[in-house]
Amino acid sequence: MNIPGELYFTKEHEWVRIEGDTGIVGITDYAQHSLGDVTFVELPKIGADVKQFQSLATIESVKAASDIFSPVSGKVAEANKKIEDDPALVNRSCYSEGWIAKIKMCEPSEKNNLMDAAAYKKFVERLEH
Amino acid sequence: MDATETLKNTPLSAHHGSLSAKMAPFAGWNMPIQYEGIIAETLYTRQAVTCFDICHMGEFIVRGDLKKSGLDNIISGHIDNLGIGSCRYSSILNEGGGVIDDLIVYRKAQEEWMIVINAATIEKDKNHFLKHLSKNAHFEDVSCGLGKIDLQGPLSREILKTIAPGAQGLGYYTFTETDIMGEKNIVSRTGYTGELGFELYAPAEKIAAIWERLTSDKRVKPAGLGARDVLRLEMGYSLYGQDIDDDTSPLEAGLEKFLDLNKDFIGKKALLQQKRSGLRRHRIFFKTLSRRSPRHNHNIYISDKNTGIVTSGTFSPHLGYGIGMGFVSTPLDAGQAILIGDDTLKIEAATCKKPFIKNTSIKT
């Protein structure tokens, strides 16, 4: 299971990469693997306000539809248009090309509500056993 | 106790484990849902050939005169003209005309039949047969001892040639008892994918050797129940327990052509009554106008009016859009604009005819 060290994670298996006041958000390797082949992502609208741990986007696989929850609060600054045409990018490259949205963060302290890579690794290991 | 401890394993479970298959409970069995991925396995089945572990399904043997045994009365379809070595899709109904199960009847001899049934319904079906077969009919549930592998796809005949050469000439919906790796077993030209394909029956202890032989050919890839579900839905085939059940009439489900209304059978009276009074609901097939998938239990709307329910839905990798089937309260022609979803989601869709995929290898 691939878990990059520099990211922060939610219990719902989203990640955020914090660059200044921007949070780049996606789903983890564990999430893409459990979902299976991603067939559709409903991206958030640019400028939309999102709250930490509330619905940001919808993701569909062959088997099911699920919500993607935002790891941070803020305003949606950008959404990854590439995954509209090629949703399988989320499977192939969940931590880089398959990112979902960029969020202009408004609460830097929210990071404390997230897991770092070591904590997330333990969290996933508990789920698997 | 952990729920997975009560699940049954097929004779191939070690093979699924070594292939790192994603497993899930299905009808009381621990079954492979996918190996490489549902989309890859779906595409590969239509393009080349895949094999499926279908050991969970049930098989009954019935011996006796078709009419005197009561079998003809149990099966809703026309089987008295079924030739020895032929098989036919049919169903068994309750007195209310609801579907107890859908199944395939194989005529092994003038007075010997194999009935292939769904895994989740084995006990229920067995009780129904035992209740309605006459005392002198022979009935045997051979589900436990018999395994089954489906070999499906345009290359399936090529592959079959190497392990059961006696079966390569089979016509559509026929079968033969032929040599498979040194032992006589049933091979039928049937399947649930809409492609040219064969189902191989063998004693449970022989199944692993057949699987190993099949998959030792690099052209053959294993496929799971996830791909099987997409493939059957692309053809518009019903799935028991989802599209049809004890409360569904075959008339509503668009399965009238599989009934023999010229003979007596259990449930016929109720069906004739439904014909007189009109059907409560009607089967439709539809496609979405996007990559969004309809899902089981989504509502079907015309304008804002909730007019029905989705029984099966998925994403079709071949077509690149969502497909599904459901029931609506009034019949709809193909091309009708509908919406699929729930209170918060509405997916634009249009009714269409089945199958969703045409010109497959099924009759080649």
Side-chain angles (χ1 to χ4, degrees), chain A residues 28-96:
Chain A
T28 66
D29 194 26
Y30 180 91
Q32 72 79 18
H33 188 258
S34 334
L35 283 169
D37 294 323
V38 174
T39 54
F40 175 83
V41 180
E42 185 176 46
L43 294 170
K45 290 200 170 56
I46 308 299
D49 287 313
V50 292
K51 287 257 184 297
Q52 189 177 37
F53 305 138
Q54 295 195 353
S55 181
L56 170 70
T58 306
I59 190 161
E60 293 192 7
S61 69
V62 179
K63 296 303 282 179
S66 4
D67 281 318
I68 298 173
F69 299 99
S70 184
V72 290
S73 302
K75 222 180 235 323
V76 177
E78 204 179 327
N80 186 1
K81 290 281 177 200
K82 265 198 201 164
I83 59 177
E84 280 188 337
D85 296 330
D86 184 10
L89 255 186
V90 178
N91 294 115
R92 293 200 304 273
S93 178
C94 65
Y95 291 117
S96 56

Side-chain angles (χ1 to χ4, degrees), chain A residues 5 8-9 21-22 24 27-28 31 38 47 62 86 96 115-116 124:
Chain A
Y8 293 90
F9 301 88
D21 62 352
T22 299
I24 305 168
I27 67 166
T28 66
V38 174
V62 179
D86 184 10
S96 56
M115 288 176 274
D116 64 14
V124 168

Side-chain angles (χ1 to χ4, degrees), chain B residues 215-281:
Chain B
T215 52
S216 70
D217 189 317
K218 291 298 159 234
R219 292 172 294 176
V220 182
K221 290 185 182 176
L225 294 188
R228 186 169 156 93
D229 191 53
V230 174
L231 290 157
R232 67 95 190 167
L233 191 48
E234 286 180 334
M235 298 309 289
Y237 299 156
S238 297
L239 173 63
Y240 190 82
Q242 194 162 304
D243 304 302
I244 46 176
D245 57 27
D246 296 285
D247 298 318
T248 308
S249 132
L251 300 175
E252 296 170 344
L255 301 173
E256 182 167 357
K257 71 171 177 176
F258 299 107
L259 300 170
D260 180 7
L261 292 168
N262 295 315
K263 71 167 192 184
D264 281 330
F265 59 87
I266 298 161
K268 179 183 169 184
K269 238 185 231 170
L271 298 184
L272 293 180
Q273 178 57 38
Q274 289 173 15
K275 275 181 168 273
R276 283 191 296 273
S277 56
L279 300 178
R280 294 174 304 166
R281 49 190 188 161

